[in-house]
PDB file of all heavy atoms in Angstrom:
ATOM      1  N   ALA A  67      61.627 172.531 -45.449  1.00 94.00           N
ATOM      2  CA  ALA A  67      61.295 172.049 -44.100  1.00 94.00           C
ATOM      3  C   ALA A  67      59.831 172.291 -43.780  1.00 94.00           C
ATOM      4  O   ALA A  67      59.143 171.407 -43.242  1.00 94.00           O
ATOM      5  CB  ALA A  67      62.191 172.720 -43.067  1.00 94.00           C
ATOM      6  N   ALA A  68      59.334 173.478 -44.112  1.00 95.00           N
ATOM      7  CA  ALA A  68      57.931 173.787 -43.859  1.00 95.00           C
ATOM      8  C   ALA A  68      57.021 172.869 -44.667  1.00 95.00           C
ATOM      9  O   ALA A  68      55.972 172.432 -44.175  1.00 95.00           O
ATOM     10  CB  ALA A  68      57.641 175.251 -44.205  1.00 95.00           C
ATOM     11  N   ALA A  69      57.420 172.553 -45.902  1.00 97.00           N
ATOM     12  CA  ALA A  69      56.622 171.655 -46.734  1.00 97.00           C
ATOM     13  C   ALA A  69      56.587 170.252 -46.134  1.00 97.00           C
ATOM     14  O   ALA A  69      55.550 169.572 -46.159  1.00 97.00           O
ATOM     15  CB  ALA A  69      57.181 171.615 -48.150  1.00 97.00           C
ATOM     16  N   MET A  70      57.714 169.798 -45.588  1.00 97.00           N
ATOM     17  CA  MET A  70      57.752 168.482 -44.951  1.00 97.00           C
ATOM     18  C   MET A  70      56.813 168.442 -43.744  1.00 97.00           C
ATOM     19  O   MET A  70      56.059 167.482 -43.546  1.00 97.00           O
ATOM     20  CB  MET A  70      59.183 168.151 -44.532  1.00 97.00           C
ATOM     21  CG  MET A  70      60.119 167.912 -45.713  1.00 97.00           C
ATOM     22  SD  MET A  70      61.864 167.777 -45.214  1.00 97.00           S
ATOM     23  CE  MET A  70      61.842 166.225 -44.305  1.00 97.00           C
ATOM     24  N   GLN A  71      56.848 169.487 -42.938  1.00 97.00           N
ATOM     25  CA  GLN A  71      55.987 169.525 -41.763  1.00 97.00           C
ATOM     26  C   GLN A  71      54.516 169.604 -42.155  1.00 97.00           C
ATOM     27  O   GLN A  71      53.664 168.954 -41.532  1.00 97.00           O
ATOM     28  CB  GLN A  71      56.365 170.703 -40.859  1.00 97.00           C
ATOM     29  CG  GLN A  71      57.665 170.496 -40.130  1.00 97.00           C
ATOM     30  CD  GLN A  71      57.928 171.528 -39.052  1.00 97.00           C
ATOM     31  OE1 GLN A  71      59.045 171.981 -38.877  1.00 97.00           O
ATOM     32  NE2 GLN A  71      56.919 171.902 -38.302  1.00 97.00           N
ATOM     33  N   THR A  72      54.214 170.368 -43.188  1.00 98.00           N
ATOM     34  CA  THR A  72      52.836 170.455 -43.665  1.00 98.00           C
ATOM     35  C   THR A  72      52.343 169.092 -44.131  1.00 98.00           C
ATOM     36  O   THR A  72      51.213 168.684 -43.835  1.00 98.00           O
ATOM     37  CB  THR A  72      52.723 171.477 -44.802  1.00 98.00           C
ATOM     38  OG1 THR A  72      52.981 172.786 -44.293  1.00 98.00           O
ATOM     39  CG2 THR A  72      51.334 171.462 -45.436  1.00 98.00           C
ATOM     40  N   GLY A  73      53.193 168.364 -44.860  1.00 98.00           N
ATOM     41  CA  GLY A  73      52.809 167.038 -45.338  1.00 98.00           C
ATOM     42  C   GLY A  73      52.549 166.073 -44.196  1.00 98.00           C
ATOM     43  O   GLY A  73      51.562 165.331 -44.199  1.00 98.00           O
ATOM     44  N   ALA A  74      53.425 166.080 -43.198  1.00 98.00           N
ATOM     45  CA  ALA A  74      53.249 165.190 -42.049  1.00 98.00           C
ATOM     46  C   ALA A  74      51.986 165.540 -41.273  1.00 98.00           C
ATOM     47  O   ALA A  74      51.262 164.655 -40.788  1.00 98.00           O
ATOM     48  CB  ALA A  74      54.468 165.263 -41.141  1.00 98.00           C
ATOM     49  N   GLU A  75      51.708 166.829 -41.144  1.00 97.00           N
ATOM     50  CA  GLU A  75      50.501 167.259 -40.444  1.00 97.00           C
ATOM     51  C   GLU A  75      49.250 166.839 -41.206  1.00 97.00           C
ATOM     52  O   GLU A  75      48.236 166.465 -40.602  1.00 97.00           O
ATOM     53  CB  GLU A  75      50.520 168.780 -40.263  1.00 97.00           C
ATOM     54  CG  GLU A  75      49.270 169.366 -39.622  1.00 97.00           C
ATOM     55  CD  GLU A  75      48.971 168.798 -38.235  1.00 97.00           C
ATOM     56  OE1 GLU A  75      49.902 168.318 -37.555  1.00 97.00           O
ATOM     57  OE2 GLU A  75      47.788 168.844 -37.841  1.00 97.00           O
ATOM     58  N   GLU A  76      49.316 166.861 -42.534  1.00 97.00           N
ATOM     59  CA  GLU A  76      48.166 166.414 -43.331  1.00 97.00           C
ATOM     60  C   GLU A  76      47.923 164.924 -43.127  1.00 97.00           C
ATOM     61  O   GLU A  76      46.768 164.476 -43.038  1.00 97.00           O
ATOM     62  CB  GLU A  76      48.396 166.735 -44.811  1.00 97.00           C
ATOM     63  CG  GLU A  76      47.278 166.282 -45.740  1.00 97.00           C
ATOM     64  CD  GLU A  76      45.971 167.042 -45.549  1.00 97.00           C
ATOM     65  OE1 GLU A  76      45.908 167.964 -44.711  1.00 97.00           O
ATOM     66  OE2 GLU A  76      44.998 166.708 -46.251  1.00 97.00           O
ATOM     67  N   VAL A  77      48.982 164.141 -43.061  1.00 97.00           N
ATOM     68  CA  VAL A  77      48.822 162.702 -42.784  1.00 97.00           C
ATOM     69  C   VAL A  77      48.155 162.516 -41.425  1.00 97.00           C
ATOM     70  O   VAL A  77      47.206 161.734 -41.282  1.00 97.00           O
ATOM     71  CB  VAL A  77      50.192 161.985 -42.805  1.00 97.00           C
ATOM     72  CG1 VAL A  77      50.033 160.522 -42.397  1.00 97.00           C
ATOM     73  CG2 VAL A  77      50.819 162.065 -44.194  1.00 97.00           C
ATOM     74  N   ARG A  78      48.642 163.216 -40.424  1.00 95.00           N
ATOM     75  CA  ARG A  78      48.063 163.101 -39.082  1.00 95.00           C
ATOM     76  C   ARG A  78      46.594 163.516 -39.087  1.00 95.00           C
ATOM     77  O   ARG A  78      45.747 162.855 -38.464  1.00 95.00           O
ATOM     78  CB  ARG A  78      48.840 163.987 -38.102  1.00 95.00           C
ATOM     79  CG  ARG A  78      48.414 163.800 -36.638  1.00 95.00           C
ATOM     80  CD  ARG A  78      48.721 165.024 -35.808  1.00 95.00           C
ATOM     81  NE  ARG A  78      47.992 166.191 -36.283  1.00 95.00           N
ATOM     82  CZ  ARG A  78      46.699 166.407 -36.067  1.00 95.00           C
ATOM     83  NH1 ARG A  78      45.988 165.522 -35.385  1.00 95.00           N
ATOM     84  NH2 ARG A  78      46.124 167.473 -36.542  1.00 95.00           N
ATOM     85  N   ARG A  79      46.271 164.590 -39.812  1.00 95.00           N
ATOM     86  CA  ARG A  79      44.890 165.054 -39.859  1.00 95.00           C
ATOM     87  C   ARG A  79      43.984 164.021 -40.498  1.00 95.00           C
ATOM     88  O   ARG A  79      42.883 163.740 -39.996  1.00 95.00           O
ATOM     89  CB  ARG A  79      44.814 166.367 -40.645  1.00 95.00           C
ATOM     90  CG  ARG A  79      43.442 167.027 -40.638  1.00 95.00           C
ATOM     91  CD  ARG A  79      43.372 168.199 -41.574  1.00 95.00           C
ATOM     92  NE  ARG A  79      43.398 167.775 -42.973  1.00 95.00           N
ATOM     93  CZ  ARG A  79      42.347 167.280 -43.624  1.00 95.00           C
ATOM     94  NH1 ARG A  79      41.179 167.135 -43.009  1.00 95.00           N
ATOM     95  NH2 ARG A  79      42.443 166.926 -44.884  1.00 95.00           N
TER      96      ARG A  79
END
Side-chain angles (χ1 to χ4, degrees):
M70 291 171 68
Q71 288 190 220
T72 293
E75 176 59 24
E76 179 68 2
V77 175
R78 187 204 62 76
R79 186 188 71 78

